[in-house]
Every structure is written in structure tokens, then in C-alpha cells.
Amino acid sequence: MSQLTRRAALAAPLALATPALAQAYPTRPITMIVPFAAGGPTDTVARLIAQEMGRDMGGSVVVENVGGAGGTLGAQRVATARPDGYTILCHHIGMGVIPSLYRRLSYDAVNGFEPIGMITEVPMTIVGKRDLPAQNLAELVALVRQRREGLNMANAGIGAASHLCGLLFQSALGVPLTTVPYRGTGPAMNDLVGGTIDLMCDQTTNTTEQIRAGTIRGYAVTTTTRVSSLPELPTAAEAGMPGFAVSVWHGLYAPRGTPAEIVTRLSTSLQKALAVPALVQRFNDLGTAPVTAEQATPAYHRQFWTADIARWRPVIQAASAYAD
Ligand code: ASP
């Protein structure tokens, strides 16, 4: 019996004593908003946990993609939804960046949410279209320096992980590229495979299978160690870009004012989902792993998120990298 399963077994008698509100929840499908297009990395993570959470809660958790504006449209939808537990948000590192990046938003990007729990942290990869002449990162750097704006780089809008990683890439090289925004890197990947996009920085949850199949080129992984699902892919540091490190954390949120018992119910369900062996295996295949049960709690998530907002604020201020 795993530690989590043991904890769940011990908690069972307590569940019988939970307040009536939580016992009656959920009585209808829960909508999980993904603030990016279908088929991308956030969508992949969301669908995997939604399926397991639905199973656990005896109902369905339906994923709805509300892409656009770097993830702010979907976040707004949840911040302004009824705080009844039937609309929740699956979002990533953008939640730490957007409060400083966007000076004008029609929702409260910090106080508009109740954190439910963290989900996973995903490495990013620097990838290019298959017929790009560069065979490795050193050759790519040379090509970028030579072709500059003649090369384009896709991202999922300002505040998306692909945007942040792309900015780091361009500033490490001191070269601006032509950026092409999408509603998510799912559709951007189609164009990278099709060859109308040259470059992208994206999460392993979206790039692993394409790199393995050879439909795109993988140049480097942006973590300090290699990922086991792509053992041939060097880290950016190994391939000649020391200090280039970025990974993407994900979390679940409810609208502010959602009753604590419901947030706890969702968090418990998330923790159970993250312990399901098939989900753990799928995450591993895509270069990631679930967070611990403790990290999938509202308290841990709130503390991590608050620290991440504080981490990004001076970086964005120093770069004057505002979205408006
Ligand atoms: N996570 C986004 C998506 O799912 C991509 C990004 O943040 O760059 O499309």
C-alpha cells in the first residue's frame, strides 16, 4: 500500500463526518477550463487529471478550452465564475507571471482564485522544424545569428510558457526573432510539423512524441539534468547555453469564495488522481512526474504561487516587459 493509499484509507471514516455541503458535491459535471487551445501541453495535463478526478468524484470533469491572450481569457472566465466548485481552472507558470506582466486586466489575477493544489512541473525543450539545416544547438545558435528575423518562433501569447522561454532564448543570443502567437502550442505544433514555423520552445508534454517520431528536431531540454523520456537530448547547458534553465509548474484553481470544503474535496481528488499508476506512467512517458501529495494541497500551492509572483515581479520590472 503506498503512503497515499494508506492515508486515504485512514481518512475514510472522517469523510462520513464531512459537512452536508461537501457530501452533496458534485451533483453535476464540473467544468475544468484550460486557458489554451486543445491538443497542447496544458490540455494534455488537464485531460489526464480530469479523467481521474471525475472517476474519483463519481461524475465527470469536462475540459473546456478557452484559449487566447496568453492564458488570460480562460483565467478570467474562472475568476468571474460562480464560486460553487463547478468551474475550475488548470493553469501553469503564467499564474505567477501574469500579475506583473499585464497592467490592465478585467479580473483580479492574484485575489480572484482559491488555489486547490499543484499538479506537476514540466521541462521545456527547444525545438525546430524537421528540415532546419542546424543539426544541434551550436549550429542552431549560428543559424539564428545569421538569419535573425528571417526565422520565426511560435508561442502561445504573452505570458505563456513558450513566450517566456522564447524570450530567454532570444535574450541569451541577443537576437530578435519574428514571433508568431497562437491560442496554444497545440496548433503551433501542427505548423511546426508542417514547416510554416521554424522554432518553438515548448513543454515535453507536447514535444516528446514528435521528437521521438522525427517529425520535428529537438535541440535541447531546458532543465539542469536530462529527461529520461528523451535520453539523447542534451541539456541547454551541455549543448553550449550555460544557465539556460526553465521549467513549467501547473496548478488547479477555483474562483475566490469557493467554500473551503469544496476546495478540500477537489484537492483530495487531485491527490488521488496523481497517485493513479497509469497517470504516473503517462506523465513519465511525457518527461514529467506528479508533485507529492503535500504539494497538491491548497496551502502548499498558495505559498508556492505567492513566491513565484514575487520571483517574477522584479524580473519583469527590470526588463519593462509589460504586455500593454
Ligand atoms: N501551455 C500552453 C499550451 O497549452 C503553451 C504555453 O504556455 O506556451 O498551449
Side-chain angles (χ1 to χ4, degrees):
M1 199 190 252
S2 76
Q3 214 187 344
L4 240 191
T5 329
R6 214 176 297 123
R7 263 192 229 151
L10 288 174
L14 280 180
L16 298 174
T18 49
L21 178 62
Q23 279 187 5
Y25 170 83
T27 56
R28 58 188 169 86
I30 296 168
T31 300
M32 183 183 287
I33 302 288
V34 168
F36 296 102
T42 313
D43 185 63
T44 297
V45 166
R47 284 178 198 273
L48 287 168
I49 58 164
Q51 191 183 3
E52 297 303 337
M53 287 176 69
R55 215 169 266 157
D56 171 59
M57 293 196 288
S60 51
V61 178
V62 181
V63 171
E64 187 181 330
N65 299 87
V66 183
T72 58
L73 296 184
Q76 174 191 18
R77 164 85 175 272
V78 176
T80 54
R82 276 177 68 138
D84 56 7
Y86 289 100
T87 310
I88 58 175
L89 174 69
C90 177
H91 207 327
H92 64 20
I93 192 170
M95 290 294 280
V97 176
I98 281 164
S100 312
L101 197 56
Y102 283 79
R103 287 182 289 197
R104 278 184 290 274
L105 281 172
S106 50
Y107 67 99
D108 189 332
V110 179
N111 299 311
F113 304 92
E114 309 285 351
I116 294 169
M118 295 179 64
I119 306 168
T120 180
E121 185 152 3
V122 187
M124 296 204 80
T125 48
I126 300 168
V127 294
K129 68 177 179 188
R130 188 177 30 186
D131 57 3
L132 219 52
Q135 307 289 322
N136 54 43
L137 191 63
E139 289 183 17
L140 180 66
V141 168
L143 186 74
V144 168
R145 293 212 160 109
Q146 181 204 338
R147 302 250 295 262
R148 303 175 70 88
E149 281 105 330
L151 288 175
N152 64 36
M153 187 170 214
N155 67 39
I158 296 176
S162 45
H163 168 245
L164 298 173
C165 184
L167 278 183
L168 287 178
F169 181 74
Q170 292 170 68
S171 80
L173 267 61
V175 172
L177 296 166
T178 303
T179 51
V180 185
Y182 286 78
R183 282 177 173 267
T185 50
M189 177 59 81
N190 294 338
D191 287 353
L192 187 71
V193 171
T196 50
I197 286 295
D198 298 315
L199 290 168
M200 185 159 71
C201 233
D202 200 16
Q203 298 165 59
T204 53
T205 31
N206 202 32
T207 60
T208 301
E209 284 166 357
Q210 302 288 3
I211 294 173
R212 279 201 202 132
T215 53
I216 61 172
R217 268 187 204 283
Y219 288 105
V221 62
T222 65
T223 36
T224 49
T225 53
R226 292 189 181 205
V227 288
S228 58
S229 56
L230 289 166
E232 268 87 62
L233 202 63
T235 66
E238 282 171 342
M241 291 180 80
F244 191 98
V246 52
S247 61
V248 181
W249 61 274
H250 295 71
L252 271 191
Y253 304 79
R256 186 181 183 88
T258 303
E261 307 91 277
I262 287 182
V263 173
T264 303
R265 179 73 188 91
L266 288 162
S267 172
T268 305
S269 188
L270 171 64
Q271 289 163 34
K272 288 191 200 160
L274 295 177
V276 171
L279 181 139
V280 176
Q281 183 60 50
R282 185 70 187 133
F283 270 26
N284 285 341
D285 289 346
L286 296 174
T288 185
V291 298
T292 64
E294 189 215 341
Q295 292 168 331
T297 57
Y300 186 94
H301 184 185
R302 183 178 292 284
Q303 174 208 320
F304 185 95
W305 179 30
T306 306
D308 209 50
I309 293 172
R311 181 166 77 91
W312 282 104
R313 185 166 292 125
V315 178
I316 291 164
Q317 277 168 354
S320 289
Y322 299 110
D324 53 359

